[in-house]
Every structure is written in C-alpha cells, then in structure tokens.
Coordinates of all heavy atoms in Angstrom, one line a residue:
I1 N -113.8 -79.7 -6.0 CA -112.5 -79.1 -6.1 C -111.5 -80.2 -6.4 O -111.5 -81.3 -5.7 CB -112.1 -78.4 -4.8 CG1 -113.2 -77.3 -4.5 CG2 -110.7 -77.8 -4.9 CD1 -113.0 -76.7 -3.1
T2 N -110.6 -80.0 -7.3 CA -109.6 -81.0 -7.6 C -108.2 -80.3 -7.5 O -108.0 -79.3 -8.2 CB -109.7 -81.6 -9.0 OG1 -111.0 -82.3 -9.1 CG2 -108.6 -82.6 -9.3
V3 N -107.4 -80.7 -6.6 CA -106.0 -80.2 -6.5 C -105.0 -81.3 -6.8 O -105.0 -82.3 -6.2 CB -105.8 -79.6 -5.0 CG1 -104.3 -79.1 -4.9 CG2 -106.8 -78.6 -4.7
V4 N -104.2 -81.0 -7.8 CA -103.1 -81.9 -8.2 C -101.8 -81.4 -7.7 O -101.4 -80.3 -8.0 CB -103.1 -82.1 -9.7 CG1 -102.0 -83.1 -10.1 CG2 -104.5 -82.5 -10.2
A5 N -101.1 -82.2 -6.8 CA -99.8 -81.9 -6.3 C -98.8 -82.6 -7.2 O -98.7 -83.8 -7.2 CB -99.7 -82.3 -4.9
D6 N -98.0 -81.8 -7.9 CA -97.0 -82.3 -8.8 C -95.6 -82.1 -8.3 O -95.3 -81.2 -7.4 CB -97.0 -81.6 -10.2 CG -98.3 -81.7 -10.9 OD1 -98.8 -82.9 -10.9 OD2 -98.9 -80.7 -11.4
A7 N -94.6 -83.0 -8.7 CA -93.2 -82.7 -8.5 C -92.9 -81.3 -9.1 O -93.5 -80.9 -10.1 CB -92.4 -83.8 -9.0
Q8 N -91.9 -80.6 -8.5 CA -91.6 -79.3 -9.0 C -91.4 -79.2 -10.5 O -92.0 -78.3 -11.2 CB -90.4 -78.7 -8.3 CG -90.1 -77.3 -8.6 CD -91.2 -76.3 -8.0 OE1 -91.5 -76.3 -6.9 NE2 -91.8 -75.5 -8.9
G9 N -90.6 -80.1 -11.1 CA -90.4 -80.1 -12.5 C -91.6 -80.3 -13.3 O -91.9 -79.6 -14.3
D10 N -92.5 -81.2 -12.9 CA -93.7 -81.5 -13.6 C -94.6 -80.3 -13.5 O -95.3 -79.9 -14.5 CB -94.4 -82.7 -13.0 CG -93.7 -84.0 -13.3 OD1 -92.9 -84.0 -14.2 OD2 -93.9 -84.9 -12.5
F11 N -94.7 -79.6 -12.3 CA -95.5 -78.4 -12.2 C -95.0 -77.3 -13.1 O -95.8 -76.6 -13.8 CB -95.5 -77.9 -10.7 CG -96.2 -76.6 -10.6 CD1 -97.6 -76.5 -10.5 CD2 -95.5 -75.4 -10.5 CE1 -98.2 -75.3 -10.4 CE2 -96.1 -74.2 -10.3 CZ -97.5 -74.1 -10.3
D12 N -93.7 -77.1 -13.2 CA -93.2 -76.0 -14.0 C -93.6 -76.3 -15.5 O -93.9 -75.3 -16.2 CB -91.7 -75.9 -13.9 CG -91.2 -75.4 -12.5 OD1 -92.1 -74.8 -11.8 OD2 -90.1 -75.7 -12.1
R13 N -93.5 -77.5 -15.9 CA -93.8 -77.8 -17.3 C -95.3 -77.6 -17.5 O -95.7 -77.1 -18.6 CB -93.4 -79.2 -17.6 CG -91.9 -79.4 -17.8 CD -91.5 -80.8 -18.3 NE -91.7 -81.8 -17.3 CZ -90.7 -82.1 -16.4 NH1 -89.6 -81.5 -16.4 NH2 -91.0 -83.0 -15.5
W14 N -96.1 -78.0 -16.6 CA -97.6 -77.8 -16.7 C -97.9 -76.3 -16.8 O -98.7 -75.9 -17.7 CB -98.3 -78.4 -15.5 CG -99.8 -78.2 -15.5 CD1 -100.7 -78.9 -16.1 CD2 -100.4 -77.1 -14.8 NE1 -102.0 -78.4 -15.9 CE2 -101.8 -77.3 -15.1 CE3 -100.0 -76.0 -14.0 CZ2 -102.8 -76.4 -14.6 CZ3 -100.9 -75.2 -13.5 CH2 -102.3 -75.3 -13.8
L15 N -97.3 -75.5 -15.9 CA -97.6 -74.1 -15.9 C -97.2 -73.4 -17.2 O -97.9 -72.6 -17.8 CB -97.0 -73.4 -14.7 CG -97.4 -71.9 -14.5 CD1 -98.9 -71.8 -14.2 CD2 -96.6 -71.4 -13.3
Q16 N -96.0 -73.8 -17.7 CA -95.6 -73.3 -19.0 C -96.5 -73.6 -20.1 O -96.8 -72.8 -21.0 CB -94.2 -73.8 -19.3 CG -93.1 -73.2 -18.4 CD -91.7 -73.9 -18.7 OE1 -91.6 -74.7 -19.6 NE2 -90.7 -73.5 -17.9
A17 N -97.0 -74.9 -20.1 CA -98.0 -75.3 -21.2 C -99.3 -74.5 -21.0 O -99.9 -74.1 -22.1 CB -98.2 -76.8 -21.0
Q18 N -99.8 -74.3 -19.8 CA -101.0 -73.6 -19.6 C -100.9 -72.1 -20.0 O -101.9 -71.5 -20.4 CB -101.5 -73.7 -18.2 CG -101.8 -75.1 -17.7 CD -103.0 -75.7 -18.4 OE1 -104.0 -75.1 -18.5 NE2 -102.8 -76.9 -18.9
A19 N -99.7 -71.6 -20.0 CA -99.5 -70.2 -20.3 C -99.6 -69.9 -21.8 O -99.8 -68.8 -22.3 CB -98.2 -69.7 -19.8
R20 N -99.4 -71.0 -22.6 CA -99.4 -70.8 -24.1 C -100.8 -70.6 -24.6 O -101.8 -71.2 -24.0 CB -98.8 -72.0 -24.7 CG -97.3 -72.3 -24.3 CD -96.7 -73.4 -25.2 NE -95.4 -73.8 -24.6 CZ -95.2 -74.9 -24.0 NH1 -96.2 -75.8 -23.8 NH2 -94.0 -75.2 -23.5
P21 N -101.0 -70.0 -25.7 CA -102.3 -69.9 -26.4 C -102.6 -71.3 -26.9 O -101.8 -72.2 -26.9 CB -102.1 -68.9 -27.5 CG -100.6 -68.9 -27.8 CD -100.0 -69.2 -26.4
R22 N -103.8 -71.4 -27.5 CA -104.2 -72.7 -28.0 C -103.3 -73.2 -29.1 O -102.8 -72.4 -29.9 CB -105.7 -72.7 -28.5 CG -105.9 -71.8 -29.7 CD -106.2 -72.7 -30.9 NE -106.7 -72.0 -32.0 CZ -106.0 -71.4 -32.9 NH1 -104.7 -71.4 -32.8 NH2 -106.6 -70.8 -34.0
G23 N -103.1 -74.5 -29.2 CA -102.1 -75.0 -30.1 C -102.7 -75.0 -31.5 O -103.7 -74.4 -31.8
D24 N -102.0 -75.8 -32.4 CA -102.4 -75.9 -33.8 C -103.8 -76.5 -33.8 O -104.1 -77.6 -33.4 CB -101.4 -76.9 -34.5 CG -101.8 -77.0 -36.0 OD1 -102.6 -76.2 -36.5 OD2 -101.3 -78.0 -36.6
A25 N -104.7 -75.8 -34.4 CA -106.1 -76.2 -34.5 C -106.5 -76.6 -35.9 O -107.7 -76.7 -36.2 CB -107.0 -75.0 -34.0
S26 N -105.6 -76.9 -36.7 CA -105.9 -77.3 -38.1 C -106.7 -78.6 -38.1 O -107.7 -78.7 -39.0 CB -104.6 -77.5 -38.9 OG -103.8 -78.5 -38.3
A27 N -106.5 -79.5 -37.2 CA -107.3 -80.7 -37.2 C -108.7 -80.5 -36.8 O -109.6 -81.2 -37.1 CB -106.6 -81.8 -36.3
G28 N -108.9 -79.4 -36.0 CA -110.3 -79.0 -35.6 C -110.7 -77.7 -36.1 O -111.5 -77.0 -35.5
A29 N -110.3 -77.4 -37.3 CA -110.6 -76.1 -37.9 C -112.1 -75.9 -38.1 O -112.7 -74.8 -37.8 CB -109.9 -75.9 -39.3
Q30 N -112.8 -76.9 -38.5 CA -114.3 -76.8 -38.6 C -114.9 -76.6 -37.3 O -115.9 -75.8 -37.1 CB -114.8 -78.1 -39.3 CG -116.3 -78.1 -39.5 CD -116.8 -76.9 -40.3 OE1 -116.1 -76.4 -41.3 NE2 -118.0 -76.3 -40.0
G31 N -114.4 -77.3 -36.2 CA -115.0 -77.1 -34.9 C -114.7 -75.7 -34.4 O -115.6 -75.2 -33.7
E32 N -113.6 -75.1 -34.7 CA -113.3 -73.8 -34.3 C -114.3 -72.8 -34.9 O -114.8 -71.8 -34.3 CB -111.9 -73.4 -34.6 CG -111.5 -72.0 -34.0 CD -110.0 -71.7 -34.0 OE1 -109.4 -72.2 -33.0 OE2 -109.5 -71.1 -34.9
K33 N -114.6 -73.1 -36.2 CA -115.6 -72.2 -36.9 C -117.0 -72.3 -36.2 O -117.7 -71.3 -36.0 CB -115.8 -72.6 -38.3 CG -114.5 -72.3 -39.2 CD -114.7 -72.8 -40.6 CE -113.5 -72.5 -41.5 NZ -113.7 -72.9 -42.8
V34 N -117.4 -73.6 -35.8 CA -118.6 -73.8 -35.1 C -118.6 -73.0 -33.7 O -119.6 -72.3 -33.4 CB -118.9 -75.3 -34.8 CG1 -120.1 -75.5 -33.9 CG2 -119.0 -76.0 -36.1
F35 N -117.5 -73.1 -33.0 CA -117.4 -72.4 -31.7 C -117.5 -70.9 -31.9 O -118.2 -70.3 -31.1 CB -116.0 -72.8 -31.1 CG -115.8 -72.2 -29.7 CD1 -116.1 -72.9 -28.6 CD2 -115.2 -70.9 -29.6 CE1 -115.9 -72.4 -27.3 CE2 -115.0 -70.4 -28.3 CZ -115.4 -71.1 -27.2
M36 N -116.8 -70.4 -32.9 CA -116.8 -68.9 -33.0 C -118.1 -68.3 -33.6 O -118.3 -67.1 -33.5 CB -115.6 -68.5 -34.0 CG -114.2 -69.0 -33.4 SD -113.8 -68.2 -31.8 CE -113.6 -66.5 -32.3
S37 N -118.9 -69.2 -34.2 CA -120.2 -68.7 -34.8 C -121.4 -68.9 -33.9 O -122.5 -68.7 -34.4 CB -120.3 -69.4 -36.2 OG -120.4 -70.8 -36.1
N38 N -121.2 -69.5 -32.7 CA -122.3 -69.7 -31.8 C -122.1 -69.0 -30.5 O -121.2 -68.2 -30.3 CB -122.5 -71.2 -31.6 CG -123.1 -71.9 -32.8 OD1 -124.3 -71.9 -32.9 ND2 -122.3 -72.5 -33.7
L39 N -123.1 -69.3 -29.6 CA -123.0 -68.6 -28.3 C -121.8 -68.9 -27.5 O -121.4 -68.1 -26.6 CB -124.2 -69.0 -27.4 CG -125.6 -68.5 -27.9 CD1 -126.7 -69.1 -27.0 CD2 -125.7 -67.0 -27.9
C40 N -121.1 -69.9 -27.8 CA -119.9 -70.3 -27.1 C -118.9 -69.2 -26.9 O -118.3 -68.9 -25.9 CB -119.1 -71.5 -27.8 SG -120.2 -72.8 -28.4

C-alpha cells in the first residue's frame, strides 16, 4: 500500500489530472494499436 499525503493545492491538481481521459497518444499510436489488439 502506498499513500501519498499532498498539500491541498497539489492534491487538487493531481485529482483533476486523474479525472481526465488519456492524453495525446500520437507519440504512442503504434503502442495503442498493440494494446487494443491483444488481451490487454
């Protein structure tokens, strides 16, 4: 178990980032194709 205690502002920014869908995957487009075409 890993628990990270952040300052309130840092926690708010972290939670907002975690709420977003995956970012721009253009640099890993081939990897996303591999992911989507296998058991992953």
Side-chain angles (χ1 to χ4, degrees):
I1 302 171
T2 299
V3 179
V4 181
D6 297 317
Q8 186 66 55
D10 293 337
F11 172 79
D12 292 339
R13 286 186 288 273
W14 174 86
L15 188 60
Q16 290 172 5
Q18 295 296 309
R20 300 188 190 106
R22 69 107 168 90
D24 181 15
S26 56
Q30 181 58 36
E32 186 165 276
K33 291 179 181 178
V34 173
F35 184 93
M36 300 299 291
S37 60
N38 282 279
L39 291 175
C40 319

